[in-house]
Amino acid sequence: MQTDGQLKTGRDVIVAALLGAEEFGFATAPLVVSGCVMMRVCHLNTCPVGIATQDPVLRARFTGAPEFVVNFFRFIAEEVREYMALLGFRTMDEMIGMVDRLNMRPAIEHWKARGLDYSAMLKEPFTPSPRRRVEAQDHGLDRAFDRGLIEECREAIVHRTPVAVERAVRNVDRAIGTMIGSEVTRRWGGDGLPDDTIRLTCRGSAGQSFGAFIPRGLSLRLEGDANDYVGKGLSGGRISVVPPAGTPFAAEDNVIVGNVALYGATGGEAFIRGIAGERFAVRNSGATAVVEGVGDHGCEYMTGGRVVVLGRTGRNFAAGMSGGIAYVLDADGAFAARCNRGLVELEAVDGADLEELLSIVARHAAATGSAVATRILLEGAAAAARFVKVMPADYKRALRAAADAVAAAASTADALVQVAHG
């Protein structure tokens, strides 16, 4: 059992262990040891001590060192040993779950704790079973979906020989393609393989994280539906999700993938013929994606890439979106009311934007056979009037500054630093 949240001292570790914890997660304290001054502007690229920023001027102010963190944890460990000696424990294993060693009365009688029931947490179990983990958890990795595929795709992984594989899938098959992607990345690095070297067609209902982290060279097609986290961390691969052949319902009116698709994607493409759940493309930083409707919080915290939504969005679209561009089909004329406009501007689609939009929609139509995409392509330039371009204001300024720098034969990096500084 792992615990975290406001662990800062050796005493905190002891209390957590007595309550049953076996692993302890530290975050804020080591960050402060590294130099963080808790300005809480990590998302603004203005960290004054150079930790949470890409600004070269600010990064030059960073004074932290690995030795600081090592020293901090050495003192944490020493304090843990001192408390263990006071309590009479020689090993951590002896201490796990020994709630009877906690002096809990002052805490539960404190006025802030009145009305709270801690009995389930503080009850000492009377059972012959161990209070700690005594056997390793079997994650079933030796039986994972990808195991057999890796051998079947060995020629592609080693010699870049194209291969096509078809498989039936169930919702217990999770992270399909991820282990193959790891093999590719270990051998070929960030460049991956040529596009479509490994083509995997799946039929059925995929479990969580279908196509997570897949690099360039892997193309996954799912004829069916998928659970949450489709394309999580997508890193250059290609994913398409379509309804099974002969499906009688309209794909654009039905949910086909779950929540948080393309979470943290850095590159590649995803074409989804149907509706996605909430938080579609959250933290996307480089992937191109097309979907035919999304739930709430679409493109949340997005920092790069392109997203095209060929249908209705939920509320709070583009919250915290600081980069990239989204094109949204505003069929009911009410998208502006559902968009969080704190960091973005809504613009008309024309010129180069229209060319880019139609190019992406054409790739979606080719990959999925989408009826919606086909209708839009038939409309051509006339379709622009029905789309809204969602453009982060700071990203727009950065693009303009970079273009001006190129025109003036100046340093693009210097121009972007000036934008970051306002």
Side-chain angles (χ1 to χ4, degrees):
M1 177 184 294
Q2 183 187 70
T3 186
D4 58 49
Q6 296 301 309
L7 297 184
K8 293 183 173 67
T9 67
R11 181 182 182 277
D12 296 335
V13 172
I14 294 293
V15 171
L18 294 175
L19 288 172
E22 299 164 285
E23 291 186 355
F24 314 91
F26 284 71
T28 302
L31 196 60
V32 171
V33 169
S34 298
C36 173
V37 293
M38 300 293 288
M39 290 296 291
R40 302 187 186 279
V41 293
C42 310
H43 60 298
L44 298 179
N45 199 42
T46 58
C47 175
V49 291
I51 295 176
T53 177
Q54 298 301 314
D55 185 329
V57 175
L58 295 176
R59 291 180 68 176
R61 301 178 184 176
F62 180 65
T63 59
E67 292 76 13
F68 299 168
V69 179
V70 171
N71 201 42
F72 168 73
F73 280 110
R74 182 177 291 112
F75 279 110
I76 291 290
E78 184 61 31
E79 188 178 12
V80 168
R81 293 189 189 98
E82 292 171 357
Y83 274 105
M84 288 174 64
L86 291 173
L87 293 169
F89 296 116
R90 291 173 298 176
T91 67
M92 291 291 293
D93 286 347
E94 294 176 11
M95 185 168 57
I96 304 302
M98 301 297 290
V99 293
D100 60 310
R101 300 301 182 91
L102 285 170
N103 181 16
M104 60 191 75
R105 188 66 58 187
I108 63 177
E109 291 182 348
H110 192 277
W111 65 270
K112 287 186 177 181
R114 290 173 190 164
L116 299 177
D117 182 3
Y118 294 101
S119 57
M121 181 185 299
L122 300 175
K123 180 178 176 60
E124 184 174 2
F126 294 96
T127 172
S129 301
R131 301 188 186 193
R132 60 180 179 84
R133 190 194 72 169
V134 294
E135 60 182 61
Q137 182 177 354
D138 179 10
H139 295 282
L141 293 181
D142 58 325
R143 303 182 300 277
F145 184 90
D146 278 24
R147 282 296 184 195
L149 292 176
I150 289 175
E151 292 308 314
E152 198 163 348
C153 298
R154 182 64 62 186
E155 283 297 308
I157 295 171
V158 176
H159 301 296
R160 299 191 169 197
T161 304
V163 63
V165 180
E166 297 185 7
R167 284 285 186 276
V169 298
R170 299 186 299 152
N171 60 5
V172 295
D173 297 321
R174 300 181 178 183
I176 293 173
T178 301
M179 294 176 73
I180 295 179
S182 174
E183 293 287 328
V184 170
T185 301
R186 290 173 192 273
R187 181 170 291 270
W188 301 106
D191 293 336
L193 298 170
D195 291 339
D196 296 329
T197 299
I198 298 175
R199 289 178 288 117
L200 173 61
T201 300
C202 300
R203 296 185 176 90
S205 295
Q208 289 187 347
S209 301
F210 177 80
F213 304 107
I214 61 173
R216 179 171 175 257
L218 271 68
S219 295
L220 273 58
R221 177 181 176 86
L222 174 62
E223 297 177 4
D225 54 25
N227 211 307
D228 298 341
Y229 294 105
V230 170
K232 173 178 65 179
L234 183 66
S235 302
R238 180 177 295 124
I239 295 173
S240 57
V241 184
V242 300
T247 300
F249 55 77
E252 62 270 24
D253 296 331
N254 291 271
V255 175
I256 195 169
V257 300
N259 299 321
V260 207
L262 298 174
Y263 174 79
T266 60
E269 296 179 328
F271 302 110
I272 298 171
R273 186 180 178 184
I275 299 173
E278 296 185 356
R279 290 194 155 87
F280 181 83
V282 56
R283 298 193 185 280
N284 175 34
S285 64
T288 296
V290 184
V291 65
E292 299 181 356
V294 296
D296 296 341
H297 318 296
C299 296
E300 186 180 32
Y301 301 122
M302 182 166 145
T303 61
R306 298 291 185 270
V307 169
V308 177
V309 183
L310 303 179
R312 182 182 172 89
T313 72
R315 62 187 178 88
N316 203 36
F317 189 91
M321 179 179 173
S322 59
I325 299 173
Y327 299 104
V328 179
L329 182 65
D330 190 12
D332 59 4
F335 170 70
R338 298 190 294 272
C339 183
N340 185 323
R341 301 170 71 174
L343 297 179
V344 302
E345 300 172 354
L346 303 185
E347 303 177 352
V349 175
D350 54 19
D353 293 333
L354 177 59
E355 183 178 343
E356 178 181 57
L357 170 61
L358 293 178
S359 173
I360 296 173
V361 171
R363 298 205 300 275
H364 178 65
T368 67
S370 168
V372 177
T374 300
R375 289 195 295 268
I376 291 171
L377 293 173
L378 289 175
E379 292 180 36
R386 299 200 290 139
F387 278 90
V388 175
K389 178 184 178 183
V390 182
M391 184 69 171
D394 287 344
Y395 182 55
K396 182 178 181 179
R397 291 172 52 218
L399 291 178
R400 186 183 301 120
D404 291 344
V406 171
S411 168
T412 301
D414 291 342
L416 295 180
V417 167
Q418 292 301 318
V419 170
H421 289 192

